[in-house]
Amino acid sequence: MARYLNYNVMEKSQSAPTHGETVSSDLIQSSLQEAGVIIGKNGDFVGLPRVVFTQVYEQTSTNDIPDAVSLVDFKGAISIGEQCFMDSTSGAPFPNDVVKLTSAKRPNFDTGKIVIGNNACLQGTCIVAYESVCIGNNALFGSNVVIMDCDGHTLQHRFNEDEVARLSVRPVVIGDDVWVGYGAIILKGVTIGDNAVIGAGSVVHCDVPSGGVVAGNPAKLIKRHS
């Protein structure tokens, strides 16, 4: 049975803002860097993101429940490029959640990696990596996009003692200059080529070619642009 132990970086960091304190971009970035998050130059963080290290474990009748998340396992697991913009506020006229970046560590597997290229724009974006989510340069995400390389559960025999070992995990790769519309969901194993466009509300379960424009649930190729 899959169980989770979470470490919320912004809640635990010594540099984290206290209740009611104005949150500056510099303070947010220094808090993340303290925990081993790699951040490039000239980033702009608006609002408080939720950056979480998650220890995934099997709950059985015999094993021990972890006492705490091992931060050593997560050092460098999340990397954010230069000049990235992350909006975790509700100030925009459209609905916008907080940015959520979650790196997961399973027993006997490497820690999940999140790599975000330079000049990316995330607005209420949720990224979950059990193995790898890699995003290229100049990626633009509309509000409330979800990207995950694992469903987080099995389809059969859920809650069995070997559920974590049986999880299906496949990396996600998003190329350069990709535009993803509001509320899209990008599922495990998907590769999106450079200059692709993902329509709002799309559920992307298969690869998108470079220059491709897809939309719908499930997302289908509509056209290609140069």
Side-chain angles (χ1 to χ4, degrees):
M1 182 184 301
R3 287 292 181 263
Y4 310 95
L5 187 63
N6 295 315
Y7 181 95
N8 187 324
V9 172
M10 296 307 300
E11 290 180 354
K12 302 291 187 180
S13 171
Q14 294 181 356
S15 298
T18 59
H19 180 69
E21 181 180 357
T22 300
V23 185
S24 70
S25 179
D26 288 343
L27 181 59
I28 293 169
Q29 292 181 65
S30 64
S31 297
L32 297 177
Q33 288 171 328
E34 280 180 4
V37 177
I38 299 170
I39 302 178
K41 298 178 181 178
N42 302 319
D44 188 11
F45 291 63
V46 181
L48 203 62
R50 187 175 188 271
V51 179
V52 177
F53 303 149
T54 297
Q55 197 86 39
V56 186
Y57 64 94
E58 304 271 19
Q59 182 175 359
T60 71
S61 57
T62 58
N63 74 334
D64 294 326
I65 297 174
D67 293 326
V69 171
S70 172
L71 296 184
V72 174
D73 290 335
F74 293 90
K75 186 176 181 179
I78 298 177
S79 176
I80 301 168
E82 297 182 357
Q83 297 181 309
C84 288
F85 175 71
M86 295 193 181
D87 184 3
S88 298
T89 70
S90 57
F94 42 80
N96 191 66
D97 204 341
V98 301
V99 172
K100 300 176 183 176
L101 306 178
T102 302
S103 168
K105 174 74 170 69
R106 297 170 290 159
N108 304 314
F109 287 91
D110 291 337
T111 304
K113 300 290 193 296
I114 297 175
V115 178
I116 300 171
N118 298 328
N119 199 37
C121 175
L122 281 70
Q123 305 170 88
T125 311
C126 176
I127 302 175
V128 181
Y130 280 64
E131 182 176 336
S132 174
V133 174
C134 185
I135 298 169
N137 298 323
N138 309 310
L140 174 60
F141 297 94
S143 294
N144 302 340
V145 170
V146 176
I147 307 165
M148 49 192 181
D149 66 354
C150 178
D151 299 331
H153 59 80
T154 58
L155 294 178
Q156 295 180 324
H157 308 295
R158 293 196 65 184
F159 310 121
N160 281 17
E161 292 188 350
D162 64 344
E163 183 176 12
V164 173
R166 292 186 293 110
L167 290 174
S168 175
V169 181
R170 289 184 286 150
V172 174
V173 178
I174 298 174
D176 295 337
D177 302 292
V178 172
W179 180 15
V180 182
Y182 180 96
I185 301 174
I186 300 171
L187 300 175
K188 63 185 180 185
V190 167
T191 294
I192 299 176
D194 297 344
N195 299 295
V197 176
I198 312 299
S202 298
V203 177
V204 185
H205 72 288
C206 60
D207 293 351
V208 178
S210 296
V213 179
V214 302
N217 179 8
K220 296 181 180 180
L221 184 66
I222 296 173
K223 64 179 181 180
R224 296 174 184 256
H225 67 89
S226 56

